[in-house]
Amino acid sequence: MAVLGAVLSCCVAAPAVAAAADTPTGCTEQRLPVQVAGRQYTVAGTLCVPEGEVRGIQVLAHGGTYTRQYWDWPINSDQLSYVEHALADGYATFAYDRLGVGETDRPFGLTTTVSHGADALHQVISWASSLYDDVTVVSHSLGSAIAVNEAGRYNDADRLVVTGLLHVPFSARTPVSFATDITYPACLDPVTKGYGCDYLTSRPGARGDLVYSDTADPAVIEYDEAHKSAMAAGQLASGITELAPGTAPASRIRIPVLLAMGGKDFFCGALLQPCTEASIRESESRYYANAASFDVYVEPTSGHNLALHPTAPQTEDAIDAWIRSQQK
C-alpha cells in the first residue's frame, strides 16, 4: 500500500513544526505558507518519518503533469514507491505538490515561472532544514528544472539529485510532435478539466510513448493516463528557456549533484545516442562545472519516468548509495 495514501493525521499548520527529535514516526499532512512574487500561497505536502534513527530528509519535487503521487505510486507500490524505499533506508521524506498543482494553491498559469517554483521550493527547504540537519533535494523533469534554478540561486540544500533532465534539446521527436504531446490545454481534457486553459497537460493517449519505455507495466501507464495532472504554462516555457546553453543556472550550483537518466528518455535522441553515463557526463559536466561534485547514473531500459519503471528499485539503490557517499 502506498505510504501517502495512508496518512496518519491531517493539516498541520506551518511554520510551527516539531523539532527533529519530536517528529512522530509515520506520515502527516503539512500545509506550508510561502511568499512568491509578493503573494502568499499554501504548499501542500506529506512528511513521512521512518522508525529509528533518521539519516536526513529528502525533499521530493515531482515533474510536470504530475503531483506528489509520482513519488508514492499506488500501483505496484512495493516496487514503485520511492517514499517507501527512502523510509526503509532511514530517510524522512517530504513529497509536496509544486506551485499550482494538486492541493497546493494555484496562481495564474501563464505568468507562473520556474523562478516562482524555485522561490517556493527554497522556503520548503528552509522548513525541512528546521527539522533535520541533512537535506537532499530529489527532483524530476520540470521539477528538476525548478530544483536546478533554486540550487543555482540559493545552494541551501546539502545535495541535489536531478532526474529526467538534460540541457541540450536531445529529443529524437520532431519539435512539432513533441510540443503537441506536452502542450495540450488542461481545460480540454476530461481528466484535468478542473485546471484552467492557462495550464497544460499531455495529449490524451500520448503518455505511454512520451514518458515510458516498452518495459513499463501497462497497468501503470493506464493508471497514469487516467490520473494525470497539469502544469503551469509559464513554468514549461521558462523551464525550456533555462536549458539553453549560456543561460543555464546549473553553472551557479556549488553543492554535489547526481544526474540520473533513463536510457530510453525522450531527451535521448540523435545528438546523444545512446544515452550512456559517459556521453551524458561529457555533455552535461560543463553545465555543472562549479558543483562540489558531479556524478551520473543511467538506467539503460528505463524511459523518462525513472521511478515508475520495473527498474525503479535499482535507480533508488543508486541514489541511496550516492547520498551515503556524500554524507559525512
Side-chain angles (χ1 to χ4, degrees), residues 227-261:
H227 295 83
K228 63 185 178 182
S229 185
M231 56 185 168
Q235 285 195 340
L236 177 63
S238 58
I240 292 173
T241 299
E242 291 197 357
L243 298 180
T247 62
S251 63
R252 300 188 293 273
I253 295 177
R254 300 189 302 276
I255 60 177
V257 175
L258 171 66
L259 174 56
M261 295 291 296

Side-chain angles (χ1 to χ4, degrees), residues 304-322:
H304 184 64
N305 284 349
L306 279 166
L308 302 184
H309 281 74
T311 52
Q314 291 95 297
T315 301
E316 292 157 353
D317 285 343
I319 291 173
D320 176 59
W322 180 81

